[in-house]
Short mmCIF file of all heavy atoms in Angstrom, two decimals:
data_model
loop_
_atom_site.label_atom_id
_atom_site.label_comp_id
_atom_site.label_asym_id
_atom_site.label_seq_id
_atom_site.Cartn_x
_atom_site.Cartn_y
_atom_site.Cartn_z
N ALA W 1059 20.45 -10.74 -1.31
CA ALA W 1059 21.62 -9.86 -1.25
C ALA W 1059 22.24 -9.92 0.14
O ALA W 1059 21.55 -10.06 1.14
CB ALA W 1059 21.22 -8.42 -1.57
N VAL W 1060 23.57 -9.85 0.17
CA VAL W 1060 24.29 -9.83 1.43
C VAL W 1060 24.67 -8.38 1.73
O VAL W 1060 25.53 -7.81 1.05
CB VAL W 1060 25.56 -10.70 1.37
CG1 VAL W 1060 26.30 -10.64 2.71
CG2 VAL W 1060 25.20 -12.14 1.02
N PRO W 1061 24.02 -7.75 2.71
CA PRO W 1061 24.30 -6.33 2.97
C PRO W 1061 25.72 -6.10 3.46
O PRO W 1061 26.31 -6.97 4.12
CB PRO W 1061 23.27 -5.96 4.04
CG PRO W 1061 22.94 -7.24 4.72
CD PRO W 1061 23.02 -8.29 3.65
N ALA W 1062 26.28 -4.96 3.12
CA ALA W 1062 27.65 -4.63 3.53
C ALA W 1062 27.72 -4.44 5.04
O ALA W 1062 28.77 -4.61 5.64
CB ALA W 1062 28.12 -3.37 2.81
N ARG W 1063 26.61 -4.08 5.66
CA ARG W 1063 26.55 -3.90 7.11
C ARG W 1063 25.17 -4.33 7.59
O ARG W 1063 24.23 -4.37 6.80
CB ARG W 1063 26.82 -2.44 7.48
CG ARG W 1063 25.76 -1.48 6.98
CD ARG W 1063 26.09 -0.03 7.37
NE ARG W 1063 27.22 0.47 6.62
CZ ARG W 1063 27.71 1.70 6.78
NH1 ARG W 1063 27.17 2.52 7.68
NH2 ARG W 1063 28.72 2.12 6.06
N PRO W 1064 25.04 -4.65 8.89
CA PRO W 1064 23.72 -5.06 9.40
C PRO W 1064 22.69 -3.95 9.22
O PRO W 1064 23.02 -2.77 9.23
CB PRO W 1064 24.00 -5.33 10.89
CG PRO W 1064 25.47 -5.57 10.97
CD PRO W 1064 26.10 -4.73 9.91
N PHE W 1065 21.44 -4.35 9.07
CA PHE W 1065 20.37 -3.37 8.92
C PHE W 1065 20.19 -2.59 10.22
O PHE W 1065 20.19 -3.17 11.31
CB PHE W 1065 19.05 -4.06 8.56
CG PHE W 1065 19.03 -4.64 7.18
CD1 PHE W 1065 18.89 -6.02 6.99
CD2 PHE W 1065 19.17 -3.83 6.06
CE1 PHE W 1065 18.88 -6.56 5.71
CE2 PHE W 1065 19.15 -4.36 4.78
CZ PHE W 1065 19.02 -5.73 4.60
N THR W 1066 20.07 -1.28 10.11
CA THR W 1066 19.85 -0.42 11.27
C THR W 1066 18.49 -0.71 11.87
O THR W 1066 17.50 -0.86 11.16
CB THR W 1066 19.93 1.06 10.87
OG1 THR W 1066 21.19 1.31 10.23
CG2 THR W 1066 19.78 1.97 12.08
N LYS W 1067 18.44 -0.78 13.20
CA LYS W 1067 17.16 -0.99 13.89
C LYS W 1067 16.34 0.30 13.86
O LYS W 1067 16.86 1.39 14.11
CB LYS W 1067 17.41 -1.42 15.33
CG LYS W 1067 16.13 -1.69 16.11
CD LYS W 1067 16.43 -2.07 17.56
CE LYS W 1067 15.14 -2.28 18.34
NZ LYS W 1067 15.41 -2.62 19.77
N LEU W 1068 15.06 0.16 13.54
CA LEU W 1068 14.16 1.31 13.54
C LEU W 1068 13.55 1.43 14.93
O LEU W 1068 12.81 0.56 15.37
CB LEU W 1068 13.07 1.14 12.48
CG LEU W 1068 13.57 0.85 11.06
CD1 LEU W 1068 12.39 0.72 10.10
CD2 LEU W 1068 14.51 1.95 10.59
N ASN W 1069 13.86 2.52 15.63
CA ASN W 1069 13.51 2.65 17.04
C ASN W 1069 12.14 3.26 17.30
O ASN W 1069 11.69 3.26 18.45
CB ASN W 1069 14.57 3.48 17.76
CG ASN W 1069 15.94 2.85 17.72
OD1 ASN W 1069 16.07 1.63 17.78
ND2 ASN W 1069 16.98 3.66 17.60
N TYR W 1070 11.51 3.79 16.26
CA TYR W 1070 10.27 4.53 16.51
C TYR W 1070 9.17 4.13 15.53
O TYR W 1070 9.43 3.67 14.43
CB TYR W 1070 10.51 6.04 16.40
CG TYR W 1070 11.45 6.58 17.44
CD1 TYR W 1070 12.79 6.80 17.15
CD2 TYR W 1070 10.99 6.86 18.73
CE1 TYR W 1070 13.66 7.29 18.11
CE2 TYR W 1070 11.85 7.35 19.69
CZ TYR W 1070 13.18 7.57 19.38
OH TYR W 1070 14.03 8.05 20.34
N THR W 1071 7.95 4.35 15.99
CA THR W 1071 6.77 4.21 15.14
C THR W 1071 5.97 5.51 15.25
O THR W 1071 6.26 6.37 16.07
CB THR W 1071 5.89 3.03 15.58
OG1 THR W 1071 5.46 3.25 16.93
CG2 THR W 1071 6.65 1.73 15.48
N VAL W 1072 4.94 5.62 14.43
CA VAL W 1072 4.07 6.79 14.49
C VAL W 1072 3.24 6.71 15.77
O VAL W 1072 2.82 5.64 16.18
CB VAL W 1072 3.16 6.84 13.25
CG1 VAL W 1072 2.14 7.98 13.37
CG2 VAL W 1072 3.99 7.02 12.00
N ASP W 1073 3.01 7.85 16.42
CA ASP W 1073 2.21 7.88 17.64
C ASP W 1073 0.81 7.32 17.40
O ASP W 1073 0.17 7.65 16.40
CB ASP W 1073 2.05 9.33 18.14
CG ASP W 1073 3.35 9.86 18.71
OD1 ASP W 1073 4.16 9.04 19.17
OD2 ASP W 1073 3.54 11.08 18.72
N ASP W 1074 0.34 6.49 18.33
CA ASP W 1074 -1.03 5.97 18.22
C ASP W 1074 -2.06 7.08 18.29
O ASP W 1074 -3.13 6.98 17.71
CB ASP W 1074 -1.28 4.96 19.35
CG ASP W 1074 -0.44 3.70 19.17
OD1 ASP W 1074 -0.06 3.40 18.03
OD2 ASP W 1074 -0.16 3.03 20.18
N VAL W 1075 -1.72 8.14 19.02
CA VAL W 1075 -2.69 9.23 19.20
C VAL W 1075 -2.63 10.23 18.06
O VAL W 1075 -3.41 11.17 18.01
CB VAL W 1075 -2.42 9.98 20.53
CG1 VAL W 1075 -2.62 9.06 21.70
CG2 VAL W 1075 -1.01 10.58 20.55
N TRP W 1076 -1.69 10.03 17.15
CA TRP W 1076 -1.54 10.99 16.05
C TRP W 1076 -2.63 10.77 15.02
O TRP W 1076 -2.90 9.64 14.61
CB TRP W 1076 -0.18 10.83 15.40
CG TRP W 1076 0.05 11.74 14.23
CD1 TRP W 1076 -0.05 13.10 14.22
CD2 TRP W 1076 0.41 11.34 12.91
NE1 TRP W 1076 0.24 13.59 12.98
CE2 TRP W 1076 0.52 12.53 12.15
CE3 TRP W 1076 0.65 10.13 12.29
CZ2 TRP W 1076 0.87 12.52 10.81
CZ3 TRP W 1076 1.00 10.12 10.97
CH2 TRP W 1076 1.11 11.31 10.24
N ASN W 1077 -3.26 11.83 14.61
CA ASN W 1077 -4.32 11.76 13.62
C ASN W 1077 -3.77 12.10 12.24
O ASN W 1077 -3.46 13.26 11.97
CB ASN W 1077 -5.44 12.73 13.99
CG ASN W 1077 -6.59 12.69 12.98
OD1 ASN W 1077 -6.65 11.80 12.14
ND2 ASN W 1077 -7.48 13.65 13.08
N PRO W 1078 -3.61 11.11 11.35
CA PRO W 1078 -3.04 11.37 10.02
C PRO W 1078 -3.83 12.40 9.22
O PRO W 1078 -3.31 12.98 8.28
CB PRO W 1078 -3.08 10.00 9.33
CG PRO W 1078 -3.15 9.02 10.45
CD PRO W 1078 -3.94 9.70 11.53
N GLU W 1079 -5.10 12.62 9.59
CA GLU W 1079 -5.91 13.59 8.85
C GLU W 1079 -5.41 15.02 9.05
O GLU W 1079 -5.80 15.92 8.32
CB GLU W 1079 -7.37 13.48 9.28
CG GLU W 1079 -8.02 12.15 8.89
CD GLU W 1079 -9.47 12.06 9.33
OE1 GLU W 1079 -9.93 13.04 9.96
OE2 GLU W 1079 -10.11 11.04 9.06
N GLU W 1080 -4.53 15.21 10.04
CA GLU W 1080 -3.98 16.55 10.25
C GLU W 1080 -3.11 16.96 9.07
O GLU W 1080 -2.87 18.14 8.85
CB GLU W 1080 -3.14 16.57 11.54
CG GLU W 1080 -3.96 16.35 12.80
CD GLU W 1080 -3.08 16.32 14.04
OE1 GLU W 1080 -1.89 16.65 13.93
OE2 GLU W 1080 -3.59 15.99 15.12
N LEU W 1081 -2.62 16.00 8.35
CA LEU W 1081 -1.76 16.27 7.20
C LEU W 1081 -2.01 15.17 6.18
O LEU W 1081 -2.27 14.04 6.54
CB LEU W 1081 -0.29 16.27 7.63
CG LEU W 1081 0.73 16.90 6.70
CD1 LEU W 1081 0.46 18.39 6.56
CD2 LEU W 1081 2.13 16.70 7.24
N ASP W 1082 -1.93 15.51 4.91
CA ASP W 1082 -2.20 14.53 3.86
C ASP W 1082 -1.02 13.58 3.75
O ASP W 1082 -0.06 13.86 3.04
CB ASP W 1082 -2.45 15.24 2.52
CG ASP W 1082 -2.77 14.24 1.42
OD1 ASP W 1082 -3.10 13.08 1.75
OD2 ASP W 1082 -2.69 14.62 0.24
N VAL W 1083 -1.07 12.47 4.47
CA VAL W 1083 0.04 11.53 4.47
C VAL W 1083 -0.35 10.19 3.87
O VAL W 1083 0.42 9.24 3.93
CB VAL W 1083 0.56 11.30 5.91
CG1 VAL W 1083 1.10 12.58 6.49
CG2 VAL W 1083 -0.55 10.75 6.79
N GLY W 1084 -1.54 10.10 3.31
CA GLY W 1084 -1.99 8.82 2.79
C GLY W 1084 -1.05 8.23 1.76
O GLY W 1084 -0.86 7.02 1.71
N TRP W 1085 -0.43 9.09 0.95
CA TRP W 1085 0.42 8.58 -0.12
C TRP W 1085 1.75 8.04 0.40
O TRP W 1085 2.49 7.40 -0.33
CB TRP W 1085 0.67 9.67 -1.15
CG TRP W 1085 1.48 10.81 -0.63
CD1 TRP W 1085 1.02 11.89 0.04
CD2 TRP W 1085 2.89 10.98 -0.76
NE1 TRP W 1085 2.05 12.74 0.35
CE2 TRP W 1085 3.21 12.20 -0.14
CE3 TRP W 1085 3.91 10.23 -1.35
CZ2 TRP W 1085 4.52 12.68 -0.07
CZ3 TRP W 1085 5.21 10.72 -1.27
CH2 TRP W 1085 5.50 11.92 -0.64
N THR W 1086 2.07 8.27 1.68
CA THR W 1086 3.34 7.78 2.19
C THR W 1086 3.32 6.28 2.42
O THR W 1086 4.35 5.65 2.55
CB THR W 1086 3.70 8.46 3.52
OG1 THR W 1086 2.73 8.12 4.50
CG2 THR W 1086 3.76 9.97 3.37
N ASN W 1087 2.14 5.71 2.50
CA ASN W 1087 2.05 4.27 2.74
C ASN W 1087 0.78 3.73 2.10
O ASN W 1087 -0.26 3.67 2.72
CB ASN W 1087 2.04 4.00 4.25
CG ASN W 1087 2.09 2.51 4.57
OD1 ASN W 1087 2.00 1.68 3.68
ND2 ASN W 1087 2.25 2.19 5.83
N LYS W 1088 0.88 3.36 0.83
CA LYS W 1088 -0.29 2.87 0.10
C LYS W 1088 -0.56 1.40 0.38
O LYS W 1088 -1.63 0.90 0.05
CB LYS W 1088 -0.07 3.06 -1.41
CG LYS W 1088 0.04 4.52 -1.85
CD LYS W 1088 -1.26 5.26 -1.68
CE LYS W 1088 -1.20 6.64 -2.27
NZ LYS W 1088 -2.42 7.43 -2.08
N TRP W 1089 0.42 0.71 0.97
CA TRP W 1089 0.24 -0.71 1.22
C TRP W 1089 -0.50 -0.90 2.54
O TRP W 1089 0.05 -0.73 3.61
CB TRP W 1089 1.60 -1.41 1.28
CG TRP W 1089 1.48 -2.90 1.33
CD1 TRP W 1089 1.52 -3.69 2.44
CD2 TRP W 1089 1.29 -3.78 0.22
NE1 TRP W 1089 1.37 -5.00 2.10
CE2 TRP W 1089 1.23 -5.10 0.74
CE3 TRP W 1089 1.17 -3.59 -1.15
CZ2 TRP W 1089 1.06 -6.21 -0.08
CZ3 TRP W 1089 1.00 -4.70 -1.95
CH2 TRP W 1089 0.94 -5.99 -1.43
N MET W 1090 -1.76 -1.22 2.47
CA MET W 1090 -2.60 -1.30 3.65
C MET W 1090 -2.65 -2.71 4.25
O MET W 1090 -3.22 -2.91 5.32
CB MET W 1090 -4.02 -0.83 3.33
CG MET W 1090 -4.07 0.61 2.85
SD MET W 1090 -3.30 1.75 4.04
CE MET W 1090 -3.43 3.29 3.13
N ASN W 1091 -2.06 -3.69 3.54
CA ASN W 1091 -2.05 -5.06 4.04
C ASN W 1091 -0.85 -5.28 4.95
O ASN W 1091 0.01 -4.42 5.10
CB ASN W 1091 -2.02 -6.06 2.89
CG ASN W 1091 -3.20 -5.88 1.95
OD1 ASN W 1091 -4.31 -5.60 2.37
ND2 ASN W 1091 -2.94 -6.01 0.65
N GLN W 1092 -0.80 -6.46 5.57
CA GLN W 1092 0.36 -6.81 6.38
C GLN W 1092 1.59 -6.96 5.48
O GLN W 1092 1.48 -7.30 4.31
CB GLN W 1092 0.11 -8.10 7.15
CG GLN W 1092 -0.93 -7.96 8.25
CD GLN W 1092 -1.06 -9.24 9.06
OE1 GLN W 1092 -0.55 -10.29 8.67
NE2 GLN W 1092 -1.76 -9.15 10.18
N MET W 1093 2.76 -6.73 6.07
CA MET W 1093 4.00 -6.91 5.31
C MET W 1093 4.10 -8.38 4.91
O MET W 1093 4.04 -9.27 5.77
CB MET W 1093 5.20 -6.52 6.16
CG MET W 1093 5.23 -5.06 6.56
SD MET W 1093 5.65 -3.96 5.19
CE MET W 1093 7.40 -4.26 5.05
N PRO W 1094 4.22 -8.67 3.63
CA PRO W 1094 4.26 -10.07 3.18
C PRO W 1094 5.54 -10.78 3.61
O PRO W 1094 6.63 -10.18 3.60
CB PRO W 1094 4.18 -9.94 1.66
CG PRO W 1094 4.71 -8.59 1.36
CD PRO W 1094 4.32 -7.72 2.51
N GLN W 1095 5.39 -12.02 4.01
CA GLN W 1095 6.55 -12.82 4.41
C GLN W 1095 7.15 -13.57 3.21
O GLN W 1095 8.31 -13.97 3.24
CB GLN W 1095 6.14 -13.83 5.48
CG GLN W 1095 5.60 -13.18 6.74
CD GLN W 1095 6.59 -12.23 7.38
OE1 GLN W 1095 7.76 -12.58 7.58
NE2 GLN W 1095 6.13 -11.03 7.72
N GLU W 1096 6.34 -13.74 2.16
CA GLU W 1096 6.83 -14.39 0.95
C GLU W 1096 6.75 -13.40 -0.20
O GLU W 1096 6.08 -12.36 -0.11
CB GLU W 1096 5.98 -15.63 0.65
CG GLU W 1096 6.05 -16.69 1.74
CD GLU W 1096 5.19 -17.91 1.41
OE1 GLU W 1096 4.47 -17.86 0.38
OE2 GLU W 1096 5.23 -18.89 2.17
N TYR W 1097 7.45 -13.72 -1.27
CA TYR W 1097 7.54 -12.81 -2.42
C TYR W 1097 6.15 -12.43 -2.92
O TYR W 1097 5.28 -13.26 -3.14
CB TYR W 1097 8.32 -13.49 -3.55
CG TYR W 1097 8.48 -12.62 -4.77
CD1 TYR W 1097 9.43 -11.62 -4.82
CD2 TYR W 1097 7.63 -12.78 -5.87
CE1 TYR W 1097 9.56 -10.81 -5.94
CE2 TYR W 1097 7.75 -11.98 -6.99
CZ TYR W 1097 8.72 -10.99 -7.02
OH TYR W 1097 8.84 -10.20 -8.12
N ASP W 1098 5.97 -11.12 -3.07
CA ASP W 1098 4.69 -10.58 -3.54
C ASP W 1098 4.99 -9.53 -4.59
O ASP W 1098 5.57 -8.48 -4.30
CB ASP W 1098 3.92 -9.97 -2.36
CG ASP W 1098 2.52 -9.52 -2.74
OD1 ASP W 1098 2.40 -8.73 -3.71
OD2 ASP W 1098 1.56 -9.91 -2.06
N ARG W 1099 4.61 -9.80 -5.83
CA ARG W 1099 4.93 -8.92 -6.95
C ARG W 1099 4.36 -7.51 -6.75
O ARG W 1099 5.05 -6.51 -6.97
CB ARG W 1099 4.38 -9.52 -8.25
CG ARG W 1099 4.46 -8.61 -9.47
CD ARG W 1099 5.87 -8.52 -10.01
NE ARG W 1099 6.01 -7.49 -11.03
CZ ARG W 1099 6.84 -7.57 -12.05
NH1 ARG W 1099 7.61 -8.63 -12.20
NH2 ARG W 1099 6.94 -6.60 -12.93
#
């Protein structure tokens, strides 16, 4: 697909010191592998 505008840059990541166990956030990111570079069903 050719996007209508360039993709916005994501400027932030989650803090390294942040403990996800403080809140149930496991379901926000079930993909535990690296982001695939080729098509992955």
Side-chain angles (χ1 to χ4, degrees):
V1060 179
R1063 65 181 70 180
F1065 290 117
T1066 304
K1067 181 182 178 181
L1068 306 181
N1069 298 324
Y1070 295 99
T1071 59
V1072 174
D1073 288 334
D1074 292 335
V1075 296
W1076 178 56
N1077 180 12
E1079 293 180 358
E1080 294 178 9
L1081 196 64
D1082 182 16
V1083 297
W1085 67 275
T1086 64
N1087 186 353
K1088 296 293 187 182
W1089 189 263
M1090 299 304 177
N1091 302 322
Q1092 291 184 348
M1093 296 287 285
Q1095 299 302 311
E1096 298 179 355
Y1097 180 80
D1098 186 306
R1099 171 75 190 212

